[in-house]
Amino acid sequence: MTHPTRRGVIAGASSLAALSAGGAFAQSAPTNPVMLNIIDVAGNLQLTQASIEKFARDNPKLISRLNFSRAPSPELPAKLKAQQDANRVDIDMVLTGPGAMSDGIQQGLWVDVWKSHTASLPKAEDIYHEQALMMQRNFGQNEGVAVVYSPSGPLFEYMADKVKTVPKTAEEFLAYVKQNPNRFTYARPLNSGPGWTFLQGMPYILGDSDPTDPMNGWAKTWTYLKELGTAIDYYPTGTAATMKELGDGTRDCIVSTLGWDINPRALGIVPKEAKVFTIANTHWIPDTQFMCIPKGVAAEKIPVILALMSHLLKPESQAATYDKGYFYPGPAIKGVTLAMAPKESQDVLKEFGRPEYDGLISSLPTRPPLTPARLVAAFRRWDQEIGVGHAPK
């Protein structure tokens, strides 16, 4: 997923001694400090880069240098597979959302850190809050370490001066889109958090026979999305493009999520006065970003990466993930409140957050995303049946 660029501010630090005492550094430290190549395909560095850099500064005996890079999520699995086949893996840690995470599990690209390195990570049930633990078990499985969490969406974001009557049901929304062709769009689900949650949320909204089975249980959803597509000119490749189009007046309504509503307004990409709505039978489809280690990483780097992962799960690092609302709320672990976040984060959320969000988060039911294999199948089917013929501009 491609996101507007900005960084969080981090308070506090963890030392090597603290990590050792906490059991997060069970393996021996490297003889010499290592260079880590970290790739982000989810926009996660906006939430974690400052914490990662702080860890490196505090532990010069572990890390000599950090190299950060970013890439579109769909491109990563093939790149990693090629490196692994050639025994030349030059990516040490991946920060990923659901797309590359799922593909990587299916292709066997990731180290099963929760099984192979149990003693080097905190116990999941001890640190994660209930919803993040659900995502960790059902989605991250043994390979991904959940680092941030959001109830996510689906939400619809709109300009009130353009959408005079807000749809309340799926039927009303379809009628609105068809009456206002090319004024609504959403991004390709494989590369978009809002697109991802919208795709998986519609089976619940429409009352499909099995919302967990996109191949055999989504008859109503696929029919609905095809009909919706008759009034959509194209599907952008990423969420940022939809936000830009809402901001410049090209669109009147787009698919959004909690974080994608708050953050682009805070950044000035979308007008502050933009509003959001949900439709009947909405269920939260939460989003989680994970830390993964590709198979083939040099053995001496593994304990360093595990120590870094543990550092990013500490309260100080987690409090920074409130950021400017990008992955709202953000923290994946228990007991991290907005009051613990940097003042900048508190100020932004006071101005651009929405009072109704706490009520929506507590009142709407939450359902886990599709399993990785079924998510990959859903992405593929959307590309083949919905996205086809709607090439990006």
Side-chain angles (χ1 to χ4, degrees), residues 60-111:
K61 293 184 179 180
L62 299 184
I63 298 175
S64 60
R65 180 180 173 186
L66 293 168
N67 292 321
F68 296 108
S69 61
R70 295 168 175 81
S73 175
E75 296 177 5
L76 180 69
K79 180 178 181 179
L80 263 181
K81 184 70 165 59
Q83 290 185 4
Q84 290 169 345
D85 288 347
N87 292 317
R88 298 185 64 177
V89 174
D90 64 7
I91 297 171
D92 302 312
M93 179 170 153
V94 175
L95 302 170
T96 177
M101 180 76 205
S102 299
D103 277 353
I105 288 177
Q106 290 304 296
Q107 297 182 45
L109 303 182
W110 313 122
V111 174

Side-chain angles (χ1 to χ4, degrees), residues 185-262:
T185 194
Y186 61 99
R188 182 189 181 202
L190 176 61
N191 200 40
S192 167
W196 181 77
T197 55
F198 175 62
L199 178 63
Q200 295 179 83
M202 286 311 299
Y204 292 100
I205 291 170
L206 295 170
D208 248 322
S209 62
D210 186 355
T212 70
D213 186 353
M215 302 310 289
N216 302 302
W218 285 20
K220 293 179 181 179
T221 295
W222 295 121
T223 298
Y224 185 92
L225 293 178
K226 289 174 185 176
E227 188 69 14
L228 198 68
T230 62
I232 295 174
D233 51 350
Y234 85 107
Y235 301 101
T237 56
T239 314
T242 68
M243 294 293 158
K244 181 178 181 297
E245 292 190 359
L246 182 66
D248 67 19
T250 303
R251 307 290 173 180
D252 301 333
C253 181
I254 59 172
V255 171
S256 192
T257 59
L258 294 169
W260 273 105
D261 162 45
I262 297 171

Side-chain angles (χ1 to χ4, degrees), residues 40-61:
D40 174 18
V41 297
N44 181 266
L45 284 173
Q46 294 165 159
L47 306 174
T48 59
Q49 184 169 342
S51 299
I52 294 170
E53 291 173 339
K54 188 77 167 69
F55 178 80
R57 288 195 302 271
D58 289 348
N59 294 282
K61 293 184 179 180

Side-chain angles (χ1 to χ4, degrees), residues 127-139:
I127 62 164
Y128 289 127
H129 58 68
E130 182 181 357
Q131 298 298 339
L133 184 61
M134 178 268 291
M135 291 291 286
Q136 176 61 60
R137 288 175 169 167
N138 292 351
F139 199 81

Side-chain angles (χ1 to χ4, degrees), residues 154-173:
L155 300 173
F156 297 92
E157 190 165 357
Y158 71 103
M159 301 308 300
D161 60 336
K162 300 290 183 61
V163 182
K164 303 295 186 181
T165 302
V166 175
K168 294 181 172 59
T169 65
E171 292 75 18
E172 289 180 5
F173 183 73

